Amino acid sequence: MTRNTFGNLFTLTTFGESHGEAVGGVIDGMPAGIDIDQDFIQQELNRRRPGQSNITTSRQEADKVELLSGVFEGKSTGCPIGFIVRNTNQRSKDYENLKSLFRPSHADFTYDQKYGVRDYRGGGRSSARITISRCVGGALAKLALKQLGISVQAYTSQVGTIALNRDYRLYNLDQTESNAVRCPDPEKAQEMEALITQIKKEGDTIGGVITCVVKGCPVGLGEPEFGKLHAALGGAMLSINAAKGFEYGEGFEGVTARGSEQNDIFQNINGQITTKTNYSGGIQGGISNGQDIYFRVAFKPVATILMDQETVDKEGNPTLFKTSGRHDPCVLPRAVPIVEAMAAMTILDFTLLKNSGNR
Protein backbone atom coordinates (compact mmCIF):
# COMPACT_ATOMS: atom_id res chain seq x y z
CA MET A 1 0.00 0.00 0.00
CA THR A 2 1.40 3.37 -1.03
CA ARG A 3 0.39 7.05 -0.90
CA ASN A 4 0.13 7.37 2.87
CA THR A 5 1.65 10.87 2.80
CA PHE A 6 -0.22 14.16 2.31
CA GLY A 7 1.34 17.46 1.26
CA ASN A 8 4.40 18.92 -0.47
CA LEU A 9 6.53 20.81 2.07
CA PHE A 10 4.26 20.43 5.08
CA THR A 11 3.60 16.69 5.02
CA LEU A 12 1.65 14.20 7.09
CA THR A 13 2.40 10.48 6.90
CA THR A 14 -0.14 8.32 8.72
CA PHE A 15 -0.19 4.75 10.00
CA GLY A 16 -2.55 2.41 11.83
CA GLU A 17 -5.84 0.55 11.57
CA SER A 18 -9.18 0.86 13.33
CA HIS A 19 -8.63 -2.14 15.63
CA GLY A 20 -4.84 -2.18 15.76
CA GLU A 21 -2.71 -1.13 18.71
CA ALA A 22 -2.66 2.53 17.73
CA VAL A 23 -2.94 5.11 14.98
CA GLY A 24 -0.45 7.89 14.47
CA GLY A 25 1.81 9.71 12.09
CA VAL A 26 4.78 11.91 11.38
CA ILE A 27 4.59 15.61 10.50
CA ASP A 28 7.51 16.89 8.44
CA GLY A 29 8.07 20.51 7.42
CA MET A 30 6.59 22.10 10.54
CA PRO A 31 8.23 25.53 10.82
CA ALA A 32 10.52 25.94 13.81
CA GLY A 33 9.61 28.23 16.68
CA ILE A 34 5.84 27.73 16.59
CA ASP A 35 4.19 27.72 20.02
CA ILE A 36 2.84 24.19 20.51
CA ASP A 37 -0.32 24.21 22.62
CA GLN A 38 -0.87 20.55 23.50
CA ASP A 39 -4.21 21.34 25.13
CA PHE A 40 -5.40 22.83 21.84
CA ILE A 41 -4.24 19.75 19.90
CA GLN A 42 -6.11 17.50 22.33
CA GLN A 43 -9.18 19.71 22.05
CA GLU A 44 -9.19 19.24 18.27
CA LEU A 45 -9.09 15.47 18.77
CA ASN A 46 -11.90 15.69 21.32
CA ARG A 47 -14.06 17.36 18.67
CA ARG A 48 -13.55 14.31 16.43
CA ARG A 49 -13.61 11.53 19.01
CA PRO A 50 -16.51 9.07 19.31
CA GLY A 51 -19.04 9.08 22.15
CA GLN A 52 -19.54 12.86 22.20
CA SER A 53 -23.33 12.80 22.19
CA ASN A 54 -26.38 10.63 21.59
CA ILE A 55 -26.18 11.29 17.83
CA THR A 56 -22.68 9.79 17.44
CA THR A 57 -21.28 6.29 17.87
CA SER A 58 -21.21 5.08 21.48
CA ARG A 59 -17.64 3.79 21.18
CA GLN A 60 -15.67 5.35 24.06
CA GLU A 61 -12.11 6.38 23.23
CA ALA A 62 -10.08 9.02 25.06
CA ASP A 63 -8.04 9.60 21.87
CA LYS A 64 -5.16 10.88 23.98
CA VAL A 65 -2.35 12.09 21.73
CA GLU A 66 1.30 11.59 22.64
CA LEU A 67 3.84 13.83 20.90
CA LEU A 68 7.05 11.83 20.56
CA SER A 69 9.45 14.26 18.90
CA GLY A 70 9.95 17.64 17.30
CA VAL A 71 8.84 19.73 20.29
CA PHE A 72 11.13 21.25 22.94
CA GLU A 73 10.21 23.65 25.71
CA GLY A 74 6.80 24.24 24.18
CA LYS A 75 7.98 25.13 20.69
CA SER A 76 8.45 23.25 17.42
CA THR A 77 12.10 22.56 16.65
CA GLY A 78 11.69 22.14 12.90
CA CYS A 79 12.37 18.41 13.24
CA PRO A 80 9.76 15.78 12.33
CA ILE A 81 6.94 15.61 14.87
CA GLY A 82 6.04 11.99 15.59
CA PHE A 83 2.81 11.24 17.44
CA ILE A 84 0.68 8.31 18.50
CA VAL A 85 -2.90 7.75 19.70
CA ARG A 86 -3.55 4.35 21.23
CA ASN A 87 -6.74 2.39 20.56
CA THR A 88 -8.30 1.37 23.87
CA ASN A 89 -11.90 0.33 23.21
CA GLN A 90 -11.88 -2.14 20.31
CA ARG A 91 -14.63 -4.77 20.09
CA SER A 92 -13.32 -6.83 17.19
CA LYS A 93 -15.82 -9.62 17.84
CA ASP A 94 -18.53 -7.33 16.47
CA TYR A 95 -17.03 -7.91 13.02
CA GLU A 96 -16.53 -11.69 13.06
CA ASN A 97 -19.56 -12.28 10.85
CA LEU A 98 -18.19 -9.88 8.22
CA LYS A 99 -14.80 -11.43 7.50
CA SER A 100 -16.07 -13.43 4.53
CA LEU A 101 -18.65 -10.88 3.31
CA PHE A 102 -18.51 -7.76 1.18
CA ARG A 103 -20.50 -4.98 2.84
CA PRO A 104 -22.42 -2.70 0.43
CA SER A 105 -20.65 0.60 -0.34
CA HIS A 106 -17.65 -0.26 1.85
CA ALA A 107 -14.03 -0.82 0.82
CA ASP A 108 -14.22 -4.56 1.53
CA PHE A 109 -14.42 -5.71 -2.09
CA THR A 110 -11.92 -3.25 -3.54
CA TYR A 111 -9.35 -3.88 -0.78
CA ASP A 112 -9.72 -7.64 -1.16
CA GLN A 113 -9.32 -7.49 -4.93
CA LYS A 114 -6.39 -5.06 -4.86
CA TYR A 115 -4.33 -6.50 -2.00
CA GLY A 116 -5.60 -10.06 -1.65
CA VAL A 117 -6.04 -9.52 2.09
CA ARG A 118 -8.03 -7.14 4.27
CA ASP A 119 -8.52 -6.29 7.91
CA TYR A 120 -12.24 -6.77 8.38
CA ARG A 121 -12.24 -5.41 11.95
CA GLY A 122 -13.98 -2.07 11.61
CA GLY A 123 -12.66 -1.62 8.10
CA GLY A 124 -8.98 -1.64 9.08
CA ARG A 125 -7.11 1.03 7.15
CA SER A 126 -10.29 2.28 5.46
CA SER A 127 -11.88 3.17 8.80
CA ALA A 128 -12.69 6.79 9.61
CA ARG A 129 -10.70 6.27 12.81
CA ILE A 130 -7.57 6.87 10.74
CA THR A 131 -8.64 10.51 10.44
CA ILE A 132 -7.32 11.01 13.99
CA SER A 133 -3.90 11.57 12.42
CA ARG A 134 -5.34 14.23 10.13
CA CYS A 135 -6.76 16.12 13.11
CA VAL A 136 -3.37 16.13 14.83
CA GLY A 137 -1.72 17.41 11.64
CA GLY A 138 -4.48 19.96 11.20
CA ALA A 139 -4.12 21.20 14.78
CA LEU A 140 -0.40 21.77 14.26
CA ALA A 141 -1.11 23.53 10.96
CA LYS A 142 -3.68 25.77 12.69
CA LEU A 143 -1.09 26.76 15.31
CA ALA A 144 1.28 27.81 12.54
CA LEU A 145 -1.44 29.63 10.59
CA LYS A 146 -2.54 31.48 13.72
CA GLN A 147 0.80 33.28 13.78
CA LEU A 148 0.10 34.36 10.19
CA GLY A 149 -3.37 35.66 10.99
CA ILE A 150 -5.13 32.90 9.03
CA SER A 151 -8.16 31.08 10.48
CA VAL A 152 -10.07 28.02 9.30
CA GLN A 153 -13.62 27.32 10.47
CA ALA A 154 -16.15 24.74 9.28
CA TYR A 155 -19.72 23.97 10.27
CA THR A 156 -22.61 21.68 9.41
CA SER A 157 -24.76 23.51 6.90
CA GLN A 158 -27.10 20.71 5.84
CA VAL A 159 -28.39 17.37 7.13
CA GLY A 160 -30.72 15.57 4.77
CA THR A 161 -33.14 18.20 3.46
CA ILE A 162 -32.62 20.58 6.41
CA ALA A 163 -30.29 23.27 5.10
CA LEU A 164 -28.92 26.68 6.05
CA ASN A 165 -28.71 29.62 3.69
CA ARG A 166 -25.61 29.24 1.53
CA ASP A 167 -24.22 32.64 2.60
CA TYR A 168 -21.96 31.94 5.59
CA ARG A 169 -21.88 35.66 6.44
CA LEU A 170 -25.44 35.43 7.74
CA TYR A 171 -24.32 33.36 10.73
CA ASN A 172 -22.22 33.81 13.84
CA LEU A 173 -19.75 30.98 13.32
CA ASP A 174 -18.68 31.27 16.96
CA GLN A 175 -21.97 29.46 17.73
CA THR A 176 -20.88 26.35 15.83
CA GLU A 177 -19.64 24.46 18.88
CA SER A 178 -22.74 25.30 20.96
CA ASN A 179 -24.63 22.17 19.89
CA ALA A 180 -24.00 18.52 19.07
CA VAL A 181 -24.56 18.96 15.32
CA ARG A 182 -21.99 21.79 15.03
CA CYS A 183 -24.41 24.12 13.27
CA PRO A 184 -24.29 27.92 13.88
CA ASP A 185 -28.08 28.26 13.57
CA PRO A 186 -29.61 27.08 16.91
CA GLU A 187 -33.09 26.45 15.48
CA LYS A 188 -31.84 24.52 12.46
CA ALA A 189 -29.48 22.62 14.75
CA GLN A 190 -32.43 21.37 16.79
CA GLU A 191 -34.18 20.20 13.62
CA MET A 192 -31.02 18.46 12.41
CA GLU A 193 -30.48 16.72 15.74
CA ALA A 194 -34.10 15.53 15.82
CA LEU A 195 -33.73 14.10 12.31
CA ILE A 196 -30.48 12.31 13.14
CA THR A 197 -32.04 10.90 16.33
CA GLN A 198 -35.00 9.54 14.37
CA ILE A 199 -32.74 8.08 11.68
CA LYS A 200 -30.65 6.40 14.39
CA LYS A 201 -33.74 4.79 15.95
CA GLU A 202 -34.59 3.34 12.55
CA GLY A 203 -31.12 1.82 12.25
CA ASP A 204 -30.47 3.94 9.18
CA THR A 205 -28.08 6.80 8.33
CA ILE A 206 -28.25 10.25 6.71
CA GLY A 207 -25.81 12.51 4.85
CA GLY A 208 -25.35 16.24 4.46
CA VAL A 209 -23.01 19.14 3.76
CA ILE A 210 -20.19 20.88 5.63
CA THR A 211 -19.23 24.46 4.77
CA CYS A 212 -15.72 25.74 5.47
CA VAL A 213 -14.41 29.33 5.53
CA VAL A 214 -10.74 30.40 5.44
CA LYS A 215 -10.12 33.99 6.53
CA GLY A 216 -6.92 36.03 6.32
CA CYS A 217 -5.42 34.06 3.44
CA PRO A 218 -2.95 36.27 1.50
CA VAL A 219 -2.92 36.82 -2.24
CA GLY A 220 -0.78 34.44 -4.26
CA LEU A 221 -1.25 30.89 -2.97
CA GLY A 222 -1.46 28.36 -5.79
CA GLU A 223 -0.42 28.07 -9.42
CA PRO A 224 -2.50 28.54 -12.58
CA GLU A 225 -1.94 25.12 -14.18
CA PHE A 226 -1.61 21.89 -12.18
CA GLY A 227 -1.04 23.56 -8.82
CA LYS A 228 -4.40 25.29 -8.48
CA LEU A 229 -5.29 26.00 -4.85
CA HIS A 230 -8.92 24.99 -5.26
CA ALA A 231 -7.87 21.72 -6.88
CA ALA A 232 -5.63 20.96 -3.89
CA LEU A 233 -8.45 21.78 -1.49
CA GLY A 234 -10.81 19.60 -3.49
CA GLY A 235 -8.37 16.70 -3.46
CA ALA A 236 -7.87 17.09 0.29
CA MET A 237 -11.61 17.11 0.98
CA LEU A 238 -12.42 14.20 -1.30
CA SER A 239 -9.79 12.10 0.49
CA ILE A 240 -11.97 12.19 3.63
CA ASN A 241 -14.08 9.11 4.30
CA ALA A 242 -17.65 9.41 2.96
CA ALA A 243 -16.95 12.68 1.08
CA LYS A 244 -18.76 12.66 -2.25
CA GLY A 245 -18.68 16.21 -3.59
CA PHE A 246 -16.75 19.48 -3.47
CA GLU A 247 -17.56 23.00 -4.67
CA TYR A 248 -15.98 26.36 -3.92
CA GLY A 249 -17.35 29.85 -4.32
CA GLU A 250 -20.79 29.75 -5.88
CA GLY A 251 -20.03 26.28 -7.22
CA PHE A 252 -22.92 24.43 -8.86
CA GLU A 253 -25.36 27.11 -7.73
CA GLY A 254 -23.68 29.61 -10.03
CA VAL A 255 -24.23 27.73 -13.28
CA THR A 256 -27.64 29.35 -13.82
CA ALA A 257 -26.27 32.89 -13.49
CA ARG A 258 -24.88 35.03 -16.30
CA GLY A 259 -21.34 36.34 -16.41
CA SER A 260 -22.64 39.85 -15.88
CA GLU A 261 -24.20 38.66 -12.62
CA GLN A 262 -21.33 36.48 -11.44
CA ASN A 263 -18.19 38.49 -12.23
CA ASP A 264 -16.35 39.90 -9.21
CA ILE A 265 -15.76 43.57 -10.07
CA PHE A 266 -12.46 45.08 -8.91
CA GLN A 267 -12.34 48.31 -6.94
CA ASN A 268 -9.77 50.54 -5.25
CA ILE A 269 -10.36 51.07 -1.52
CA ASN A 270 -7.89 53.55 -0.07
CA GLY A 271 -5.15 52.36 -2.38
CA GLN A 272 -5.89 48.67 -1.98
CA ILE A 273 -7.33 46.73 -4.91
CA THR A 274 -10.08 44.34 -3.89
CA THR A 275 -13.37 43.01 -5.25
CA LYS A 276 -16.91 44.20 -4.58
CA THR A 277 -18.23 40.64 -4.37
CA ASN A 278 -16.73 37.20 -3.80
CA TYR A 279 -18.58 34.79 -6.06
CA SER A 280 -15.17 33.30 -6.92
CA GLY A 281 -14.73 31.98 -3.39
CA GLY A 282 -11.41 33.71 -2.79
CA ILE A 283 -9.62 31.93 -5.65
CA GLN A 284 -9.22 33.17 -9.23
CA GLY A 285 -7.15 31.43 -11.88
CA GLY A 286 -6.19 28.82 -9.29
CA ILE A 287 -4.58 31.49 -7.06
CA SER A 288 -5.88 33.03 -3.83
CA ASN A 289 -6.96 36.66 -4.27
CA GLY A 290 -7.06 37.77 -0.62
CA GLN A 291 -10.82 37.36 -0.15
CA ASP A 292 -12.38 34.74 2.13
CA ILE A 293 -12.02 31.25 0.73
CA TYR A 294 -15.23 29.30 1.17
CA PHE A 295 -16.26 25.86 -0.01
CA ARG A 296 -18.73 23.07 0.64
CA VAL A 297 -18.19 19.33 1.02
CA ALA A 298 -20.99 16.80 0.52
CA PHE A 299 -20.98 13.64 2.64
CA LYS A 300 -22.97 10.53 1.83
CA PRO A 301 -25.00 8.62 4.42
CA VAL A 302 -22.70 6.32 6.42
CA ALA A 303 -22.54 2.98 4.64
CA THR A 304 -22.92 0.95 7.84
CA ILE A 305 -26.62 0.60 8.64
CA LEU A 306 -28.23 -1.57 11.32
CA MET A 307 -30.67 -3.20 8.93
CA ASP A 308 -30.83 -6.46 6.98
CA GLN A 309 -28.96 -6.18 3.68
CA GLU A 310 -28.31 -8.43 0.73
CA THR A 311 -24.75 -9.08 -0.44
CA VAL A 312 -22.44 -11.90 -1.51
CA ASP A 313 -19.59 -13.69 0.25
CA LYS A 314 -16.04 -14.07 -1.07
CA GLU A 315 -17.12 -17.05 -3.16
CA GLY A 316 -19.93 -15.05 -4.75
CA ASN A 317 -22.75 -16.78 -2.90
CA PRO A 318 -25.76 -14.55 -2.15
CA THR A 319 -26.33 -14.01 1.54
CA LEU A 320 -28.20 -11.82 3.99
CA PHE A 321 -26.47 -10.04 6.86
CA LYS A 322 -27.04 -7.43 9.55
CA THR A 323 -24.32 -5.26 11.00
CA SER A 324 -23.86 -5.05 14.76
CA GLY A 325 -21.59 -2.77 16.77
CA ARG A 326 -21.37 0.97 17.36
CA HIS A 327 -21.70 3.32 14.41
CA ASP A 328 -22.51 6.93 13.55
CA PRO A 329 -25.99 7.59 12.11
CA CYS A 330 -24.55 10.77 10.55
CA VAL A 331 -20.90 11.58 9.91
CA LEU A 332 -21.34 15.36 9.77
CA PRO A 333 -20.78 16.40 13.43
CA ARG A 334 -17.49 14.52 13.72
CA ALA A 335 -16.37 15.41 10.19
CA VAL A 336 -16.35 19.17 10.85
CA PRO A 337 -12.91 19.14 12.55
CA ILE A 338 -11.58 16.81 9.84
CA VAL A 339 -12.59 19.25 7.10
CA GLU A 340 -10.89 22.03 9.05
CA ALA A 341 -7.76 19.91 9.48
CA MET A 342 -7.41 19.12 5.79
CA ALA A 343 -8.02 22.77 4.85
CA ALA A 344 -5.48 24.02 7.39
CA MET A 345 -2.78 21.60 6.21
CA THR A 346 -3.42 22.55 2.57
CA ILE A 347 -3.27 26.30 3.24
CA LEU A 348 -0.10 25.98 5.34
CA ASP A 349 1.54 23.76 2.72
CA PHE A 350 0.80 26.26 -0.07
CA THR A 351 1.97 29.12 2.13
CA LEU A 352 5.31 27.38 2.64
CA LEU A 353 5.54 26.68 -1.09
CA LYS A 354 4.93 30.34 -1.90
CA ASN A 355 7.47 31.54 0.67
CA SER A 356 10.07 29.05 -0.57
CA GLY A 357 9.78 30.32 -4.13
CA ASN A 358 8.69 26.89 -5.40
CA ARG A 359 5.22 28.17 -6.22
Side-chain angles (χ1 to χ4, degrees):
M1 181 181 292
T2 61
R3 303 303 294 271
N4 294 295
T5 299
F6 174 83
N8 298 282
L9 294 185
F10 181 88
T11 65
L12 166 67
T13 300
T14 71
F15 69 84
E17 297 83 37
S18 175
H19 286 237
E21 290 297 318
V23 297
V26 176
I27 294 288
D28 203 1
M30 181 70 175
I34 302 297
D35 292 328
I36 303 300
D37 184 343
Q38 295 204 39
D39 289 339
F40 173 75
I41 297 172
Q42 186 60 54
Q43 176 186 323
E44 292 296 276
L45 283 184
N46 292 345
R47 295 172 66 212
R48 192 224 69 92
R49 72 175 176 83
Q52 298 179 44
S53 69
N54 62 357
I55 59 171
T56 63
T57 171
S58 61
R59 178 173 176 169
Q60 293 295 323
E61 292 275 6
D63 286 354
K64 183 69 176 177
V65 61
E66 303 171 43
L67 300 184
L68 306 176
S69 62
V71 179
F72 181 66
E73 296 184 339
K75 292 185 180 293
S76 59
T77 64
C79 298
I81 299 177
F83 63 89
I84 191 171
V85 176
R86 301 184 186 279
N87 295 328
T88 61
N89 192 231
Q90 309 99 311
R91 282 182 9 192
S92 300
K93 65 180 184 297
D94 287 344
Y95 299 90
E96 282 292 326
N97 67 321
L98 304 179
K99 61 183 177 181
S100 61
L101 302 177
F102 295 134
R103 294 170 296 172
S105 291
H106 283 74
D108 298 347
F109 174 75
T110 51
Y111 268 50
D112 188 78
Q113 293 296 299
K114 183 175 178 66
Y115 302 110
V117 62
R118 67 181 173 92
D119 185 347
Y120 59 85
R121 303 167 304 168
R125 186 68 172 157
S126 68
S127 169
R129 184 155 180 77
I130 309 306
T131 58
I132 284 175
S133 298
R134 301 178 183 219
C135 287
V136 175
L140 290 166
K142 281 185 177 183
L143 291 173
L145 291 175
K146 182 179 180 181
Q147 296 194 12
L148 300 174
I150 301 173
S151 66
V152 180
Q153 190 163 14
Y155 61 93
T156 298
S157 55
Q158 182 172 343
V159 173
T161 58
I162 303 170
L164 273 61
N165 187 293
R166 292 173 59 91
D167 189 346
Y168 65 89
R169 296 170 299 178
L170 299 176
Y171 303 98
N172 179 3
L173 301 190
D174 290 337
Q175 297 295 314
T176 299
E177 295 295 316
S178 66
N179 54 74
V181 188
R182 293 200 163 90
C183 170
D185 183 321
E187 293 185 4
K188 289 289 186 180
Q190 289 184 353
E191 294 180 33
M192 292 174 178
E193 185 168 353
L195 175 60
I196 296 172
T197 299
Q198 180 59 41
I199 291 292
K200 181 180 180 180
K201 289 180 181 178
E202 297 171 1
D204 215 335
T205 60
I206 190 74
V209 176
I210 290 175
T211 297
C212 186
V213 184
V214 181
K215 292 180 175 290
C217 189
V219 178
L221 302 189
E223 292 293 321
E225 183 59 12
F226 297 116
K228 290 180 170 66
L229 180 57
H230 62 266
L233 286 168
M237 297 307 137
L238 293 174
S239 73
I240 301 173
N241 304 56
K244 284 292 185 179
F246 172 84
E247 63 175 2
Y248 76 102
E250 288 301 286
F252 290 104
E253 193 76 6
V255 301
T256 58
R258 300 187 179 188
S260 56
E261 300 170 310
Q262 190 103 136
N263 284 350
D264 291 316
I265 305 301
F266 288 100
Q267 60 184 348
N268 187 329
I269 303 295
N270 298 323
Q272 181 178 359
I273 296 178
T274 183
T275 57
K276 291 183 178 180
T277 54
N278 188 22
Y279 297 120
S280 301
I283 304 173
Q284 293 174 324
I287 302 170
S288 61
N289 67 359
Q291 298 291 324
D292 290 350
I293 295 172
Y294 62 95
F295 58 85
R296 291 156 48 90
V297 188
F299 287 85
K300 70 173 184 176
V302 178
T304 301
I305 60 176
L306 304 181
M307 307 171 76
D308 290 336
Q309 295 185 83
E310 296 178 355
T311 189
V312 298
D313 61 22
K314 296 181 70 171
E315 284 70 45
N317 301 310
T319 185
L320 190 69
F321 85 103
K322 184 176 182 179
T323 301
S324 60
R326 303 157 294 178
H327 306 283
D328 287 291
C330 179
V331 74
L332 276 297
R334 294 176 61 206
V336 166
I338 303 169
V339 167
E340 290 181 1
M342 297 307 295
M345 288 192 289
T346 301
I347 296 298
L348 178 57
D349 189 31
F350 272 63
T351 299
L352 295 175
L353 284 167
K354 177 178 182 290
N355 293 342
S356 71
N358 290 343
R359 289 189 180 183

